[in-house]
Amino acid sequence: MMSDRDDRGDIDDLVVVRALLSASNPVADGPLSALEQRRGEHLLALLLADTSARSHRPGRRPGRGAALRRRGVLTAAATVLVIASALVGLTTVRTHDRATATPLLPEPLLTATTGDHDRAVAALSDAARRQRGSAQAGTGPVLYARSQTYGLDVAIADHKSTTTARTTITDLWRDHDGTVRTDRYIQQVDRAGGDIGGPTPADDDRFEGRSDRPPAPPEFDPALTPTDPAQLLARLKARATADGYPIDLTVAHDVLSALRSGLTSPAQNAALYDVLATIPGVFDMGPVRDHAGRPGHAVGLVVSDQSSLSLAIEYVIFSDTGAPLTIEQVAATPPPGLRLPPVPTVESYTEIITTRRVPTVGATT
């Protein structure tokens, strides 16, 4: 139950995140009162304004430290910096009977690697139909999206590694000219896995704060995704062929990346779902609730090949209106070298909290 106290010392991340997600939930189980809406926004504002409410590694000094060398990655999936949630419990990873970390290692929402293909195609087709009948929320020339991301980040040097779990709130504004402003707020950073003498992870401020980037090339801008499924599929296949990558895996990766961005319209989501339905390996997972407790329908597909160090499966959860809610990637077993428990591991997830059009960069309504 949400506390009525407003003192910053009484606010923990769990309450803040739950209030945030309930206040922005596009498929809420029941209508929110004006008081609940204001309370959720107030709690989030307090968290973002109070640096003492954010987690810091022991011994970390304020400011930017010296740049650290990073050599490669253990696996592409393990280095993705995308979603965790303060809505799940802490897991203590122990090495030699000593607690070395208490990271947020969320339980996977789903772990199946196969399922009914025809039902997945039907579910995606239905979601596409519903999205085509939907309108983009809000008005204005700027596209705004807020998401919560979790991911494992791996720092490697001298044949040793350090794995951290990072949770981030990200606000994106894409202006009419294609420029993008990003505001990131670190919620939690924890050592994940055994202490095996690896390098110190990069400072939090490398992933936090405000940044601006120029317009992306049109073919790589999620907000310019074609709304015609045939045109979109042809573009993605041509890109994969030109780069020499496996077509199905690359098409799936690009579709999921666009959905994860939060910068796609309902009509573009519809085309992305239709393309995803053409992937032979897509399978149905049925009704499920995401980490925020929002009800939805999930489909999955394998997103790794023989060259990967671990079998990775990605799941897409969408609401009854077809709106994308969560994209979660799970390793059937954690990649070797990370010293994580030998169980299915959430490598990353992104929860789309809200997407709407707003009048100016920096506005949220």
Side-chain angles (χ1 to χ4, degrees):
M1 188 171 186
M2 202 155 45
S3 169
D4 291 329
R5 294 174 293 182
D6 285 336
D7 295 337
R8 289 182 181 179
D10 295 328
I11 297 172
D12 58 47
D13 284 356
L14 179 61
V15 172
V16 171
V17 173
R18 280 183 172 156
L20 163 68
L21 292 175
S22 64
S24 305
N25 187 353
V27 287
D29 293 330
L32 290 169
S33 68
L35 176 62
E36 289 172 323
Q37 179 80 20
R38 289 195 301 271
R39 178 62 178 166
E41 294 171 354
H42 176 61
L43 288 174
L44 177 65
L46 288 181
L47 174 65
L48 301 185
D50 186 358
T51 57
S52 67
R54 302 173 196 166
S55 299
H56 298 281
R57 289 187 299 276
R60 181 187 175 222
R61 294 174 301 188
R64 183 179 297 275
L68 301 173
R69 291 189 306 158
R70 296 170 64 91
R71 297 182 180 178
V73 294
L74 290 180
T75 176
T79 57
V80 176
L81 183 61
V82 286
I83 266 184
S85 177
L87 306 180
V88 296
L90 297 176
T91 300
T92 300
V93 180
R94 296 181 179 273
T95 302
H96 303 302
D97 296 323
R98 178 172 62 88
T100 60
T102 54
L104 283 168
L105 291 175
E107 287 290 326
L109 293 169
L110 303 159
T111 58
T113 60
T114 60
D116 192 301
H117 174 72
D118 291 340
R119 287 184 180 178
V121 171
L124 288 166
S125 298
D126 184 60
R129 177 182 59 80
R130 293 175 183 273
Q131 280 291 275
R132 284 195 181 90
S134 300
Q136 183 80 65
T139 58
V142 176
L143 187 58
Y144 165 70
R146 167 167 283 179
S147 61
Q148 186 193 47
T149 62
Y150 161 86
L152 298 179
D153 183 44
V154 183
I156 303 172
D158 300 325
H159 306 290
K160 297 177 181 179
S161 68
T162 300
T163 306
T164 55
R166 183 178 280 101
T167 309
T168 310
I169 290 287
T170 301
D171 285 338
L172 290 176
W173 289 270
R174 184 191 180 278
D175 212 339
H176 67 280
D177 63 357
T179 58
V180 175
R181 189 183 105 181
T182 304
D183 286 351
R184 289 189 177 91
Y185 316 98
I186 298 295
Q187 289 185 294
Q188 174 124 351
V189 180
D190 280 302
R191 182 71 61 88
D195 183 0
I196 57 176
T200 302
D203 286 341
D204 295 352
D205 56 6
R206 180 173 178 268
F207 302 99
E208 188 170 32
R210 178 170 299 174
S211 63
D212 297 276
R213 65 177 185 264
E219 64 271 22
F220 293 103
D221 187 343
L224 298 181
T225 298
T227 57
D228 177 73
Q231 180 185 351
L232 175 59
L233 181 58
R235 171 191 287 189
L236 297 181
K237 283 186 174 181
R239 183 188 302 170
T241 300
D243 293 337
Y245 296 146
I247 290 178
D248 286 342
L249 283 177
T250 305
V251 168
H253 172 272
D254 290 345
V255 166
L256 296 171
S257 179
L259 289 171
R260 190 184 291 112
S261 74
L263 294 178
T264 50
S265 69
Q268 291 167 330
N269 292 337
L272 290 164
Y273 289 150
D274 282 337
V275 169
L276 196 60
T278 69
I279 305 297
V282 68
F283 57 89
D284 188 59
M285 292 300 298
V288 68
R289 287 182 179 268
D290 70 4
H291 292 286
R294 300 177 297 183
H297 192 103
V299 299
L301 70 161
V302 173
V303 292
S304 60
D305 59 16
Q306 295 85 349
S307 65
S308 301
L309 297 176
S310 180
L311 179 67
I313 313 97
E314 200 131 9
Y315 305 97
V316 180
I317 301 173
F318 40 85
S319 73
D320 58 1
T321 68
L325 299 178
T326 296
I327 296 92
E328 176 174 287
Q329 183 166 301
V330 175
T333 56
L338 302 191
R339 298 284 183 94
L340 296 174
V343 294
T345 302
V346 177
E347 294 185 301
S348 67
Y349 73 76
T350 299
E351 290 191 348
I352 308 301
I353 298 172
T354 187
T355 297
R356 62 169 66 99
R357 291 204 165 273
V358 295
T360 61
V361 171
T364 59
T365 55

